[in-house]
């Protein structure tokens, strides 16, 4: 029998307990051992909850209970999650977590401790919720050199962009609706400013290259500047607008990463990813294009991934599953150096001659009832785009084009 | 240093050698050891090939070379592949294979031997080519009870159906074109009759439920009956036609499996899977919908998956990665018992009254320039459909609707 302690009895923690209890028989068969939730750590009490007797308020009880084999961390945030997880790993206990902040910041350290202590630190749920992506990346695509990861990594913003696209509504309107439906939080900055996606692409990129990519180094833009008009142009260009977390190599030894809204072709596999669904597109030098799709958030999908990590911890009791993520810093190339096309909207008072003098030859895009100058540049460096754009004080929006 | 013997130097075997040699540095980092191809078994010689000196014609040389650690099987077919693989596993050598016939027939036996001998029998490439699906199913979705697997599992037929949909051409025409392009074989039965997809859904279903599903038990229909007109109706219904390998439970203890063309909604994630791409849609009771997308065939994508299995064998030298696939037979429920809707086309001489007398209330579908009766039935059992259809001798086509 394997005893699990769950830290945090919020949405995900309660989901993990529910998954482990609901699917107990099938999980026991796959794990090869019975898995029992012994403690639940939370500051609150849960009178009436079927697991109310398992709730403890002091981590020491879990730390000192020698029968605990596996710790599940669903508290979120860096502290005290980091202290508790580190303590557990140093005791030789395996840990499964859904906590992207913790993994993005301390992934390399915690994997290192798990390796030393012959246990495991698993975090499938920290990126893409229920979507299997961490194992595919670290165990299935190991014969490839990864050349691109592009992910729709945040369900809230994908829901909002889908609504804007399908119903033609504007940002503020759709944010309000998402908040009413519980898809967006009252303080939605982490989602709409791209901070959530930033942590996730940092984790995926660190795993793809085996070194620590600090999320602070990633150029991050959210979707607050996207308007209903942008979708009119997108439609005209047979493209759609997605918030992508993206890292890629250019074949000349450069590695780039960013989070920003991008225009992608209607035929791109990511274009069909609607509503709160997430997907991660990975291109390897041998496997070519792959994509992993599913629910990137939500109680049970996320809990399913955490519980599957618990199963893997049971199957590998006493052995460490090799995962390369060294603490050495992964250096990104200068963000200004990459070349792409840009979609730009500016006031109609500027002439095409002035525009082309600054940006070089452009393709003008027109949509009905919008009076302005809108165009797609040729392929140019990010630094070149900004140099040209700085000459104008009436740029309404710029969206990068992913090709 | 790890020595690998590759059995079969055809497309996939040569691809595996190419992947291991091209990405040698990155693979060594991930595997934690240098991987060297020591022998290549083939009946042919390959004068001028950079690896010509590695070619041997007698398996005994590999069997008796004590330095060989891992055997890669890319010969295809059941024999002699089965004998060679079994011999290697009994010697305690791990095996990676791309051979779906071998895995579908002997998966349970070979996993059993690997378990006993503390080595591994891995076959990620046998389903979905380069798409990671075996590990996601056996290691990531282990906390779920799998309720549905629906796969576009054959690239040739998906290419053909995509062409028919986009260009309006007929089956024979598109088959000829696919053969000229090398996407379809001269003897294309394995693809177009669904036999290839049948082996693959048998493997996935066996892994999902941990028992042996015999592929002979799976109701299998190909795409030879699909015509250009069917796509006109599909368009009208906002659906597309895909050859699906499918297994599912109905929540009342029944398990079904089949391979056949189906009408799926334009918004289904599988609908966007075009050309030679494959995808596997998996629904679990906790994780909800997931999908895995990529190149289901082709030299390097398939070889990438085999080589990643080799990396996993190296990482797990001396330990067995637990995978449940017992030899007990997985029994399917009677195929006639499942309920769904059917799209039916028949001669225009039949009246709607006669049709509804047999099938119950139907929705008539009309497209321009096709003079016939076409309709969608209500939800009815497969056996009920056939009982009704048997009353008519002028049914032109029937396609099941996936909802």
């Amino acid at each position: 029998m394997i005893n699990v302690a769950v830290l945090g009895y919020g949405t995900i923690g309660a989901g993990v307990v529910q998954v482990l209890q609901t699917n107990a028989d099938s999980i026991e068969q796959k794990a090869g051992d019975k898995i029992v939730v012994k403690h639940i750590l939370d500051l609150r009490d849960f009178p009436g909850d079927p697991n109310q007797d398992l709730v403890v308020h002091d981590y020491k009880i879990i730390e000192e209970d020698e029968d605990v084999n596996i710790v599940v961390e669903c508290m979120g945030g860096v502290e005290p999650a980091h202290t508790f997880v580190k303590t557990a790993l140093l005791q030789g206990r395996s840990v499964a977590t859904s906590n992207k902040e913790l993994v993005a910041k301390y992934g390399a350290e915690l994997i290192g401790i798990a390796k030393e202590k012959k246990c495991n630190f698993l975090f499938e749920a920290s990126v893409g919720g229920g979507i299997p992506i961490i194992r595919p990346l670290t165990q299935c695509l190991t014969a490839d050199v990864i050349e691109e990861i592009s992910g729709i990594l945040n369900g809230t913003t994908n829901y909002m962009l889908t609504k804007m696209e399908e119903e033609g509504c504007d940002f503020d309107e759709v944010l309000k609706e998402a908040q009413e439906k519980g898809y967006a939080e009252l303080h939605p900055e982490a989602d709409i400013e791209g901070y959530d996606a930033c942590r996730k692409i940092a984790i995926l990129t660190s795993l793809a290259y085996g070194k620590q990519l600090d999320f602070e180094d990633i150029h991050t833009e959210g979707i607050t500047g996207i308007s209903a008009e942008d979708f009119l142009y997108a439609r005209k260009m047979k493209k759609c607008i997605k918030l992508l977390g993206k890292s890629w190599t250019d074949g000349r030894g450069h590695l780039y990463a960013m989070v920003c809204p991008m225009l992608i072709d209607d035929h791109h596999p990511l274009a069909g990813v609607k509503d709160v669904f997430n997907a991660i597109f990975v291109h390897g030098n041998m496997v070519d294009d792959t994509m992993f799709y599913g629910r990137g958030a939500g109680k049970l999908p996320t809990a399913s991934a955490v519980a599957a990590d618990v199963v893997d911890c049971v199957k590998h009791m006493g052995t460490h599953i090799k995962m390369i993520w060294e603490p050495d810093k992964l250096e990104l190339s200068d963000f200004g150096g990459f070349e792409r096309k840009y979609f730009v909207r500016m006031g109609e008072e500027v002439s095409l001659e002035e525009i082309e003098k600054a940006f070089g030859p452009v393709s003008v895009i027109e949509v009905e009832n919008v009076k302005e100058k809108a165009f797609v540049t040729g392929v140019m460096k990010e630094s070149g785009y900004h140099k040209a754009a700085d000459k104008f004080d009436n740029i309404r929006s710029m969206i990068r084009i992913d090709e």
Side-chain angles (χ1 to χ4, degrees), chain A:
Chain A
M1 197 174 79
I2 300 292
N3 289 302
V4 173
V6 176
L7 315 185
Y9 203 48
T11 306
I12 307 302
V16 173
V17 175
Q18 186 180 336
V19 170
L20 290 174
Q21 291 176 345
T22 308
N23 287 349
D25 291 346
S26 125
I27 288 175
E28 180 174 347
Q29 192 209 359
K30 288 171 190 165
D33 209 335
K34 195 176 170 68
I35 299 173
V36 174
V37 177
K38 192 171 182 197
H39 304 292
I40 295 169
L41 179 74
D42 205 289
L43 292 174
R44 299 163 291 181
D45 283 306
F46 297 87
D49 185 286
N51 298 296
Q52 59 177 327
D53 295 343
L54 306 180
V55 176
V56 298
H57 304 301
D58 184 356
Y59 183 68
K60 275 239 156 345
I61 296 169
I62 293 167
E63 187 182 343
E64 289 169 4
D65 182 346
E66 290 183 2
D67 293 340
V68 170
N69 310 96
I70 295 170
V71 171
V72 167
E73 188 277 308
C74 302
M75 311 172 71
V78 172
E79 282 300 345
H82 175 242
T83 306
F84 293 169
V85 167
K86 192 169 171 177
T87 304
L89 291 170
L90 286 168
Q91 289 179 290
R93 294 171 177 177
S94 288
V95 174
T97 183
S98 58
N99 183 336
K100 62 187 170 293
E101 289 94 351
L102 174 69
V103 177
K105 196 162 172 70
Y106 290 109
E109 179 204 33
L110 298 170
I111 288 173
I113 298 173
K115 185 180 174 186
E116 196 190 307
K117 295 291 176 181
K118 289 197 170 49
C119 59
N120 290 290
F121 175 63
L122 301 181
F123 45 87
E124 184 63 73
S126 67
V127 180
I131 306 171
I133 178 59
I134 304 288
R135 273 181 198 74
L137 203 54
T138 57
Q139 293 181 28
C140 299
L141 301 178
T142 49
D144 275 71
V145 175
I146 303 300
E147 297 178 335
E148 180 191 342
I149 302 174
S150 292
I152 295 173
L153 296 168
N154 181 272
T156 303
T157 46
N158 202 49
Y159 171 82
M160 291 175 62
L161 292 173
T162 304
K163 278 278 154 193
M164 290 175 78
E165 178 174 35
E166 291 178 354
E167 296 172 13
C169 40
D170 232 321
F171 182 82
D172 293 334
E173 198 179 331
V174 81
L175 174 60
K176 192 157 162 266
E177 190 201 320
Q179 284 171 323
E180 280 163 10
K181 285 198 175 174
Y183 289 160
E185 293 177 37
L186 200 59
H187 300 286
E189 292 73 25
D191 296 320
I192 63 176
E193 299 290 0
Y195 306 149
D196 174 78
C198 174
R199 303 299 190 283
K200 292 170 177 171
I201 192 66
I203 294 170
L204 295 179
T205 310
S206 296
L207 287 170
Y209 302 102
K211 293 179 181 178
Q212 171 72 19
L213 173 56
D214 293 325
F215 65 85
E216 297 92 340
D217 292 351
I218 300 173
H219 178 89
T220 300
E221 299 174 21
I223 62 165
T224 51
I226 302 295
S227 66
E229 286 79 28
D230 290 323
F231 284 95
L232 299 178
Y233 289 103
R235 193 78 342 264
K236 187 81 183 263
M237 292 186 271
K238 297 199 167 126
K239 293 183 187 291
C240 62
I241 303 171
K242 295 290 183 189
L243 179 66
L244 297 186
K246 194 173 168 76
S247 63
W248 71 101
T249 59
D250 66 354
R252 284 169 291 174
H254 299 108
L255 173 69
Y256 302 93
M258 66 179 181
V259 175
C260 66
M262 296 194 82
L263 280 156
I264 63 173
D265 197 87
D266 271 350
H267 285 94
H268 194 289
L270 288 172
V273 180
K274 307 274 188 187
D275 299 319
V276 295
F277 281 89
N278 282 197
I280 301 104
F281 174 91
V282 182
H283 182 92
N285 72 335
M286 296 293 162
V287 77
D288 197 71
D289 294 345
T290 59
M291 191 178 78
F292 306 87
Y293 168 96
R295 290 194 178 271
K299 180 179 182 175
L300 293 179
T302 308
S304 149
V306 179
D309 277 351
V310 171
V311 172
D312 229 17
C313 290
V314 175
K315 285 162 73 176
H316 291 86
M317 209 51 98
T319 59
H320 175 70
I321 304 164
K322 190 171 168 157
M323 204 174 345
I324 303 175
W325 183 348
E326 302 292 339
D328 321 349
K329 188 175 168 71
L330 183 63
E331 295 285 355
L332 293 177
S333 299
D334 176 23
F335 184 65
F338 191 74
E339 296 185 331
R340 68 174 72 254
K341 292 178 179 172
Y342 300 79
F343 168 67
V344 185
R345 293 168 52 203
M346 53 169 69
E348 61 175 334
E349 63 277 14
V350 189
S351 72
L352 183 60
E353 288 66 35
E354 291 172 277
I355 290 170
E356 296 207 319
K357 196 175 161 205
F359 290 95
V362 301
S363 311
V364 173
I365 319 278
E366 288 176 352
V367 296
E368 273 180 48
N369 301 324
V370 184
K371 288 205 187 311
E372 59 186 7
K373 286 282 192 321
F375 57 89
V376 173
T377 70
V379 172
M380 59 196 300
K381 283 194 179 173
E382 178 87 14
S383 56
Y385 164 77
H386 287 292
K387 206 173 146 189
D390 282 349
K391 298 189 177 121
F392 302 90
D393 59 3
N394 59 350
I395 290 185
R396 293 181 182 167
S397 78
M398 178 278 279
I399 308 178
R400 295 174 184 87
I401 296 183
D402 191 53
E403 280 185 338

